[in-house]
């Protein structure tokens, strides 16, 4: 033992230490065996040491702030064991109460058993307890059961007594105990005599100083030691001593803990698990971190070991495997109860583990002719699984499932996959996956089946699973061009669904090396996504996509989803570019379809150029939105919502978009979830739900940062910039729009700059800087025109007209109002109709133009409170100048209420200034929502809260829709809401007053 002297120096200190070993101790035949000897030596030398393989260069055991000291050439790392443990505050509080009872209460010692699953942190808690006990001045006598010594009688007790005998003052072991441990000759003593000597020894120690006996892994104690220590635990009364033991739950042992106080050591909660991973492996990708937390289920050992095993996996950089690989320590921790099971039981467990659905009928069909489900009973008794007919079979811990697979041979796994493929023959995608796992070499038939399955999986929105299927399909593909195409499909799915943009260069490079010169739409889509989120520009991405489309023979196949994906991506690239010249190649490609895909054609006619949308286009769009109710495909949901966004159709998409966001939070499809969050934020902006906007935009921006999607981030920044502008936070608006312009400029993304100009227009209008507002608004579109492909121009019609009127450019303002009417914007959506009417009135020479009143009676106008409030403000200003002060006060008062509820301070100030000019004292704070509704207002509010339109309410109450609309505008401020969405809760509050 050449290392003994050095180890003694390292471990001879005042505080307990944790010893890490790498498993490599020079040229030895059994490094693991030697590591155990090191641990045993350290235990005897220092009182309590936890020996473990080195998990990383960071931390071990979930502790933080260790005092790390190099251990020289023997491959050890030693650190303090009393550093804070992650997520163990409650456990340590229980242990502190236990120690307090030993140290301060006469006869208040006794036993405490820590019970928990393998790797849950029992040993770390024992180490922390040892440190706490020694800090209190207690004797600490420690030992641990060892599986490889369990056959040696009294071996566990011998290690414990060896340490007790070394304390000062020396203690007499007693005759029976001395004979049992081989210290003197004599006839074999009975267990009762040995137990009395052990109890006497502990009592003598406790008379000098409170004493703590620490025993880890009692399930691995030899029978004699386990029996005596179990007896000792029950007889430790009347003196200042206690016994703290740790055992694995569900494991049989000779240590009888029935009747002993038990403290369950539970797995870490999700936030603590996240904290431990963040501390130990800060570079983990978010999706990987989520998967590890799910697999580990709060087990600290798993959280620290799984990333290391995964890092060694050859596919870890491109797609997480279906089953995470286990390190040797995890195999050891979770395999011990599996190896002793009967072969039939292990086969059934292997089928269940590889199937992973928990469907007992599948296991039954796969095992038909070999064994029945009755053979699962031993696994149930061992508490490895739960079986509930007909609910199914569930492994109690995911890592038990992984251990079952790890313990099987490759032949056994392939045979089980073949059996499962037969059981799943009615479900092609599952059958394809099992056939692929059973394959031993290239097989084009299986690869094609798996590629089709990947398409189905991607259509359900599970991007990571689709990528894994495509990569396995590529592995099985014999011909290089087809293998390259499938790798490109995996890259495309990574970029546009799963959020693994960083995997794209590697996959594309592999595809190009596999088949040099090969090209495909998928390769172009993935390359464009990577370019635009890196240092590439719009024009380069445009050329890349057009080049891939040019080489496709016409007519295009409508069933070619890769081709449709390329055209959808090209549509967005043309939109971001914001230049007319980018669109002809897209239109040429679209014309190559005998009948273009419905959603793609609709997006071209609505989203790309909404000012020229026809009523037929709107009908197609509305039908597509109606079909989202049960649509599982996140890409189709997002594309449909984008198609309807400029035409105010997001109301019908919100439920489906929330489903996409939920899938993103589960890690299934990050890229669509980012788009969905910003679309929901867009809807919240227009409908006055600005708090929801903030939450959605922040979550989307966080995802953009985590997954490296700066291209999508500008939408979230635009929404936050608009809200900041409306609320008077002009510095934030300037900062966010500067960031947008900085990103867009070198990439020639003119649409992004138009969005930034819109936010700056609102900011300037709020500050009364109308010249700046005009200059910014005309960056989006020149006055008097709505140019092709300038989509955002339809949303800024009233902004530009107001700025023009305020700066004396009446002709330009009137020309712009005329352009909006001529384009028929008022036929596209109720909100646009409201804005067109208001713009016509705003720019009219006639103070009595009916446009304002027409705008205020548009069906459902209260759904857009900021636009509505601005129209009330403009109308009130016009009426005040026409000296109709009583009417003006009504509209200005309504505007002020709405602005104040939104938090739009600059606009509320404008309304209040106008009220002062009308001779009405302006309010300095929003009105409390305690006003009494008239009976008719109460009826209207109740019906509106139930979802009825103004027209239906009017029919029920024999009123005109205009009267209903007027009542709603008046009652919203009274009850403290800005839209119908809040009416139900507001009415409940009124009922409680």
């Amino acid at each position: 033992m050449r290392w003994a002297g050095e180890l003694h120096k390292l471990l001879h200190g005042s505080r307990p230490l944790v010893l890490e070993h790498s498993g490599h101790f020079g040229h030895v035949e059994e490094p693991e065996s030697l590591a155990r000897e090191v641990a045993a030596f350290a235990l005897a030398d220092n009182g309590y040491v936890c020996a473990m393989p080195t998990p990383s260069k960071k931390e071990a055991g979930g502790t933080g702030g260790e005092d790390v000291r190099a251990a020289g050439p023997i491959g050890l790392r030693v650190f303090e064991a009393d550093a804070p443990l992650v997520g163990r505050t409650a456990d340590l509080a229980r242990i502190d109460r236990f120690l307090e009872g030993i140290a301060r209460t006469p006869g208040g010692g006794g036993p405490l058993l820590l019970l928990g699953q393998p790797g849950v942190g029992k040993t770390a808690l024992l180490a922390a307890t040892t440190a706490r006990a020694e800090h209190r001045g207690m004797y600490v006598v420690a030992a641990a059961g060892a599986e490889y010594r369990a056959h040696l009688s009294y071996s566990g007790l011998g290690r414990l007594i060896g340490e007790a005998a070394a304390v000062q003052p020396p203690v007499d072991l007693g005759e029976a105990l001395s004979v049992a441990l081989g210290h003197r000759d004599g006839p074999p003593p009975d267990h009762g005599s040995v137990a009395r000597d052990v109890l006497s020894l502990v009592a003598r120690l406790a008379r000098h100083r409170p004493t703590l006996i620490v025993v880890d892994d009692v399930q691995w104690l030899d029978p004699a030691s386990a029996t005596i220590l179990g007896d000792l635990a029950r007889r430790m009364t009347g003196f200042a001593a206690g016994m703290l033991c740790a055992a694995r739950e569900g494991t049989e042992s000779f240590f009888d803990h029935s009747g002993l106080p038990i403290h369950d050591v539970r797995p870490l909660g999700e936030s603590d698990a996240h904290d431990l991973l963040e501390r130990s492996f800060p570079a983990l990708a978010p999706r990987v971190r989520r998967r590890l937390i799910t697999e580990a289920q709060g087990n600290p050992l798993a959280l620290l070991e799984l990333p290391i095993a995964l890092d060694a996996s050859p596919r870890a950089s491109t797609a997480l495997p279906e089953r995470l690989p286990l390190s040797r320590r995890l195999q050891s921790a979770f395999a011990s109860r599996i190896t002793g099971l009967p072969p039939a039981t292990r086969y059934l467990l292997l089928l269940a583990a590889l199937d992973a659905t928990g469907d007992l009928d599948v296991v039954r069909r796969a095992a038909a002719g070999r064994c029945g489900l009755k053979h699962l009973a031993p696994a149930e008794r061992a508490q490895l699984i739960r079986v509930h007919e007909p609910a199914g079979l569930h492994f109690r811990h995911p890592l038990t499932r992984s251990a079952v697979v790890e313990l099987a041979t490759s032949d056994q796994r392939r045979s089980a996959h073949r059996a499962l493929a037969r059981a799943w023959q009615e479900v092609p995608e599952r059958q394809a996956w099992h056939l692929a796992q059973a394959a031993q070499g290239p097989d084009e038939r299986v690869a094609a089946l798996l590629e089709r399955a990947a398409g189905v999986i991607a259509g359900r929105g599970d991007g990571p699973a689709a990528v894994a299927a495509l990569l396995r399909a590529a592995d099985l593909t014999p011909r290089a061009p087809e293998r390259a195409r499938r790798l490109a499909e995996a890259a495309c799915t990574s970029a546009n669904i799963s959020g693994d943009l960083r995997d794209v260069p590697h996959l594309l490079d592999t595809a190009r090396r596999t088949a040099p010169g090969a090209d495909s739409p998928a390769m172009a889509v993935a390359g464009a996504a990577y370019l635009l989120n890196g240092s590439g520009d719009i024009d380069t991405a445009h050329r890349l996509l057009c080049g891939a489309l040019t080489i496709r023979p016409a007519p295009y196949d409508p069933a070619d989803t890769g081709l449709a994906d390329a055209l959808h991506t090209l549509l967005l690239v043309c939109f971001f570019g914001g230049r007319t010249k980018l669109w002809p190649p897209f239109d040429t490609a679209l014309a190559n379809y005998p009948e273009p895909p419905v959603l793609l054609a609709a997006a071209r006619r609505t989203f790309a150029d909404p000012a020229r949308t026809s009523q037929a286009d709107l009908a197609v769009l509305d039908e597509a939105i109606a079909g989202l109710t049960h649509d599982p495909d996140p890409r189709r949901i997002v594309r449909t919502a984008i198609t309807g966004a400029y035409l105010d159709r997001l109301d019908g998409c919100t439920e489906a978009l929330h489903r996409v966001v939920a899938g993103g939070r589960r890690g299934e499809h990050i890229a669509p979830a980012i788009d969905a969050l910003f679309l929901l934020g867009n809807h919240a902006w227009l409908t006055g739900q600005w708090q929801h906007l903030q939450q959605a935009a922040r979550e989307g921006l966080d995802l953009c940062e985590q997954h490296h999607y700066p291209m999508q981030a500008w939408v979230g920044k635009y929404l936050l910039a608009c809200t900041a502008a409306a609320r008077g936070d002009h510095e934030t608006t300037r900062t966010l729009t500067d960031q947008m312009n900085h990103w867009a400029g070198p990439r020639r993304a003119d649409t992004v700059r138009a969005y930034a100009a819109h936010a700056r227009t609102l900011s300037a209008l709020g500050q009364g800087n109308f010249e700046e507002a005009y200059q910014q608004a005309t960056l989006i579109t020149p006055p008097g025109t709505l140019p092709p492909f300038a989509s955002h121009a339809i949303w800024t019609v009233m902004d530009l007209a107001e700025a023009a009127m305020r700066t004396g450019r009446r002709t330009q303002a009137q020309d712009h109002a005329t352009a909006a009417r001529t384009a028929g914007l008022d036929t596209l959506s109720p909100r646009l109709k409201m804005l067109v009417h208001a713009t016509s009135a705003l720019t009219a020479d006639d103070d009595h133009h009916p446009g304002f009143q027409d705008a205020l009676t548009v069906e459902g106008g209260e759904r857009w409170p900021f636009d509505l409030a601005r129209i009330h403000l403009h109308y009130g200003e016009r009426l005040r100048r026409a000296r109709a002060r009583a009417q003006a006060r009504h509209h200005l008062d309504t505007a002020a209420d709405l602005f104040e509820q939104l938090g739009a301070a600059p606009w509320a100030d404008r309304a209040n200034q106008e009220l002062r000019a009308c001779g009405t004292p302006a309010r300095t704070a929003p009105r409390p929502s305690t006003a009494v509704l008239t009976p008719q207002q109460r009826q209207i509010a109740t019906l509106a809260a139930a979802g009825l339109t103004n027209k239906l309410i009017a029919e029920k109450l024999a009123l005109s829709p205009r009267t209903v609309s007027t009542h709603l505008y008046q009652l919203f401020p009274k009850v403290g809401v800005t839209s119908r969405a809040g009416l139900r809760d507001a009415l409940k509050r009124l009922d409680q007053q």
Side-chain angles (χ1 to χ4, degrees):
M1 296 178 70
R2 66 187 186 281
W3 37 265
E6 184 175 357
L7 186 63
H8 178 84
K9 292 176 186 176
L10 281 168
L11 301 180
H12 191 68
S14 60
R15 291 200 290 174
L17 299 168
V18 174
L19 168 69
E20 280 189 1
H21 66 83
S22 65
H24 302 289
F25 292 81
H27 298 287
V28 295
E29 293 182 0
E30 297 183 6
E32 290 298 316
S33 175
L34 182 55
R36 286 193 291 268
E37 294 297 334
V38 170
F41 177 84
L43 183 67
D45 190 79
N46 193 62
Y48 192 84
V49 171
C50 167
M52 61 189 71
T54 305
S56 71
K57 294 180 181 178
K58 297 289 291 181
E59 300 169 357
T63 61
E66 300 91 340
D67 175 21
V68 182
R69 289 179 280 167
I74 60 174
L76 303 179
R77 190 165 82 97
V78 183
F79 57 89
E80 303 293 350
D82 57 352
L85 297 175
V86 173
R88 293 303 181 197
T89 304
D91 302 285
L92 292 172
R94 173 67 180 90
I95 287 169
D96 282 338
R97 292 194 298 273
F98 171 69
L99 294 178
E100 189 74 16
I102 298 171
R104 297 190 180 276
T105 307
L112 178 64
L113 178 68
L114 303 182
L115 195 62
Q117 63 185 214
V120 78
K122 304 182 296 296
T123 298
L125 283 170
L126 293 183
T129 304
T130 299
R132 281 166 148 74
E134 292 194 338
H135 182 71
R136 293 169 180 264
M138 300 171 69
Y139 284 138
V140 179
V141 182
E147 198 171 8
Y148 73 105
R149 287 176 175 250
H151 63 286
L152 300 176
S153 186
Y154 290 112
S155 60
L157 188 62
R159 294 196 297 279
L160 189 72
I161 299 306
E163 187 171 324
V167 302
Q168 294 296 329
V171 292
D172 179 30
L173 299 184
E175 182 175 354
L177 181 57
S178 295
V179 171
L181 298 180
H183 293 175
R184 66 174 67 173
D185 295 330
D190 61 84
H191 279 196
S193 299
V194 175
R196 284 192 295 273
D197 281 353
V198 172
L199 182 64
S200 175
L201 186 153
V202 173
R204 289 197 298 274
L205 284 175
R207 284 198 293 271
H208 290 281
R209 198 188 303 174
T211 300
L212 175 66
I213 309 297
V214 177
V215 186
D216 198 1
D217 287 326
V218 295
Q219 75 278 356
W220 287 334
L221 288 170
D222 60 277
S225 298
T227 302
I228 288 172
L229 289 175
D231 185 47
L232 174 65
R234 289 167 174 78
R235 298 172 64 186
M236 295 179 75
T237 58
F239 50 88
M243 178 184 290
L244 182 65
C245 303
R248 288 186 177 183
E249 62 183 13
T251 302
E252 296 181 359
S253 76
F254 291 96
F255 183 86
D256 180 14
H257 58 71
S258 58
L260 297 184
I262 292 175
H263 177 71
D264 288 318
V265 182
R266 309 310 305 162
L268 299 178
E270 185 172 343
S271 62
D272 290 323
H274 185 280
D275 186 23
L276 180 55
L277 272 181
E278 185 72 32
R279 292 187 186 195
S280 305
F281 304 95
L284 281 178
R287 181 173 64 81
V288 176
R289 187 180 294 114
R290 283 193 300 270
R291 173 73 183 279
L292 294 175
I293 289 172
T294 299
E295 290 285 327
Q297 288 196 346
N299 186 291
L301 178 64
L303 289 166
L304 292 169
E305 290 284 320
L306 283 173
I308 302 162
L310 183 62
D311 189 54
S313 171
R315 182 144 287 166
S317 63
T318 54
L320 288 174
E322 181 186 26
R323 174 186 52 81
L324 296 182
L326 299 186
S327 67
R328 294 181 65 181
R329 289 187 70 207
L330 285 173
Q331 284 188 47
S332 174
F334 285 89
S336 58
R337 286 184 289 167
I338 298 169
T339 52
L341 294 173
T345 303
R346 290 183 63 174
Y347 179 68
L348 290 173
L349 290 182
L350 180 60
L351 290 172
L354 293 175
D355 177 59
T357 66
D359 190 331
L360 277 172
D361 192 48
V362 171
V363 176
R364 183 186 292 109
R365 293 199 307 269
R370 179 162 175 172
C371 57
L373 294 184
K374 65 180 181 180
H375 293 287
L376 288 171
E380 284 190 274
R381 287 194 293 271
Q383 298 186 41
L384 296 173
I385 58 172
R386 289 190 296 267
V387 177
H388 300 290
E389 296 269 12
L393 180 155
H394 302 282
F395 286 91
R396 289 182 177 268
H397 198 286
L399 296 184
T400 302
R401 170 180 172 253
S402 295
V404 167
V405 179
E406 294 269 1
L407 289 170
T409 66
S410 58
D411 283 341
Q412 288 171 332
R413 290 196 289 267
R414 283 192 293 271
S415 174
H417 276 299
R418 283 191 291 270
L420 287 166
R422 291 191 296 272
W424 280 109
Q425 58 187 337
E426 300 300 322
V427 184
E429 62 265 26
R430 287 200 171 273
Q431 182 188 41
W433 178 256
H434 288 298
L435 287 173
Q437 300 306 105
Q440 291 183 270
D443 188 326
E444 176 57 30
R445 183 185 70 86
V446 174
L449 287 173
L450 196 55
E451 183 182 5
R452 285 197 291 274
V456 174
I457 295 166
R460 291 198 299 262
D462 192 347
V467 171
L470 286 165
L471 290 175
R472 180 58 178 154
D475 289 342
L476 296 173
T477 305
R479 295 181 64 250
E482 282 297 293
R483 187 159 64 250
R485 184 183 59 78
R486 286 166 178 154
L487 286 169
E489 290 284 353
C492 181
T493 304
S494 289
N496 293 314
I497 301 181
S498 64
D500 295 320
L501 195 62
R502 288 179 293 182
D503 291 341
V504 169
H506 167 72
L507 290 170
L508 290 179
D509 183 59
T510 304
R512 292 189 183 100
R513 284 189 283 105
T514 300
D519 204 353
S520 70
M523 195 173 290
V525 170
Y530 189 74
L531 274 173
L532 292 173
N533 285 287
S535 57
D537 62 280
I538 290 290
D539 292 347
T540 303
H542 187 268
R543 284 195 299 271
L544 181 65
L545 289 161
C546 290
L549 292 168
T550 301
I551 63 174
R552 304 292 286 189
Y556 290 167
D557 180 3
D560 188 338
T561 56
L563 193 57
D565 285 343
L567 275 164
H568 273 291
T569 304
L570 180 59
L571 182 140
L572 289 176
V573 167
C574 294
F575 170 78
F576 293 148
R579 283 166 274 136
T580 303
K581 69 176 185 179
L582 297 174
W583 285 98
F586 176 88
D587 290 335
T588 300
L590 194 63
N592 284 334
Y593 279 106
E595 186 173 338
V598 172
L599 186 57
L600 188 59
R604 166 61 182 84
R605 294 193 298 266
T606 57
F607 173 69
D609 196 6
R612 287 153 188 85
T613 299
S614 70
Q615 292 304 304
D617 298 330
L618 291 176
V620 171
L621 173 59
D622 290 337
E623 184 177 354
I625 291 172
L628 295 181
T629 306
H630 303 294
D631 195 328
D633 190 338
R635 294 169 301 176
R636 191 158 50 240
I637 291 169
V638 165
R639 287 168 179 170
T640 303
I642 288 173
T643 302
Y646 274 119
L647 302 171
D648 300 312
R649 268 26 182 212
L650 288 178
D651 262 345
C653 306
T654 53
E655 190 276 332
L657 290 171
H658 280 296
R659 292 203 310 270
V660 176
V661 171
R665 289 170 180 159
R666 295 192 299 268
E668 294 171 358
H669 41 250
I670 298 299
I674 294 171
D675 285 329
L677 282 163
F678 292 151
L679 286 161
L680 289 168
N682 199 341
H683 181 254
W685 159 245
L686 295 174
T687 56
Q689 303 173 72
W690 293 353
Q691 189 61 41
H692 294 308
L693 180 156
Q694 296 277 337
Q695 295 167 0
R698 294 295 178 194
E699 184 177 356
L701 287 172
D702 286 345
L703 289 175
C704 287
E705 183 174 356
Q706 292 170 19
H707 296 274
H708 308 281
Y709 281 88
M711 181 183 70
Q712 288 170 277
W714 67 264
V715 185
K717 292 178 180 179
Y718 158 74
L719 293 169
L720 293 176
C722 285
T723 314
R727 287 179 163 169
D729 186 358
H730 305 298
E731 184 59 35
T732 295
T733 300
R734 175 65 61 178
T735 299
L736 290 169
T737 52
D738 280 347
Q739 291 173 6
M740 292 168 66
N741 285 327
H742 179 74
W743 183 86
R747 291 168 177 79
R748 302 199 65 195
D750 290 353
T751 294
V752 180
R753 292 193 283 196
Y755 274 60
H758 183 200
R760 288 187 171 182
T761 300
L762 290 174
S763 180
L765 289 172
Q767 295 177 84
N769 187 348
F770 298 110
E771 181 60 34
E772 171 67 11
Y774 182 79
Q775 297 302 326
Q776 292 294 331
T778 53
L779 292 176
I780 301 168
T781 179
T785 182
L786 296 172
F789 308 112
S791 303
H792 210 63
I794 72 169
W795 278 8
T796 60
V797 167
M798 191 167 73
D799 302 325
L800 194 154
E802 179 186 0
M805 289 292 291
R806 293 281 190 163
T807 56
R809 297 177 172 96
R810 180 179 292 272
T811 301
Q812 290 89 331
Q814 292 175 338
D815 289 347
H816 208 57
T818 301
R821 289 194 303 273
T822 303
L825 297 190
D826 55 325
T827 66
L828 301 182
S829 79
R831 189 179 76 90
L832 290 172
K833 182 178 182 179
M834 190 168 71
L835 294 178
V836 169
H837 283 317
T839 302
S840 295
L842 181 64
T843 59
D845 296 323
D846 180 8
D847 285 342
H848 301 289
H849 191 283
F852 284 126
Q853 196 60 40
D854 291 340
L856 294 176
T857 55
V858 167
E859 176 73 21
E862 69 279 357
R863 289 159 50 201
W864 305 289
F866 187 54
D867 291 321
L868 180 65
R870 289 179 64 189
I871 294 169
H872 275 294
L873 175 60
H874 293 322
Y875 196 12
E877 289 173 337
R878 177 65 64 88
L879 289 169
R880 183 189 65 78
R881 288 196 297 273
R883 301 188 182 279
R885 293 189 174 184
Q887 291 175 279
R889 278 194 292 269
H890 164 70
H891 292 288
L892 294 171
D893 203 47
T894 302
D897 276 330
L898 289 171
F899 286 138
E900 286 165 354
Q901 290 168 53
L902 289 167
W907 300 84
D909 289 344
R910 277 181 56 180
N912 282 320
Q913 288 170 12
E914 290 290 328
L915 280 170
R916 283 194 292 270
C918 285
T920 302
R923 300 185 308 277
T924 57
R927 290 178 178 176
S929 57
T930 56
V932 178
L933 299 180
T934 67
Q936 191 170 72
Q937 285 177 334
R938 184 57 184 252
Q939 281 183 300
I940 292 171
T942 302
L943 294 172
L948 273 68
T949 64
N950 289 3
K951 185 176 180 181
L952 288 174
I953 295 171
E955 290 174 359
K956 276 186 169 291
L957 302 181
L959 300 171
S960 72
R962 179 176 299 205
T963 301
V964 172
S965 182
T966 300
H967 278 302
L968 282 171
Y969 300 147
Q970 291 171 345
L971 70 85
F972 279 178
K974 286 186 177 183
V975 298
V977 300
T978 59
S979 69
R980 291 174 185 246
L983 273 178
R984 188 185 301 274
D985 292 337
L987 292 175
K988 286 181 182 177
R989 288 195 301 270
L990 283 179
D991 290 338
Q992 295 167 2
Q993 289 177 359

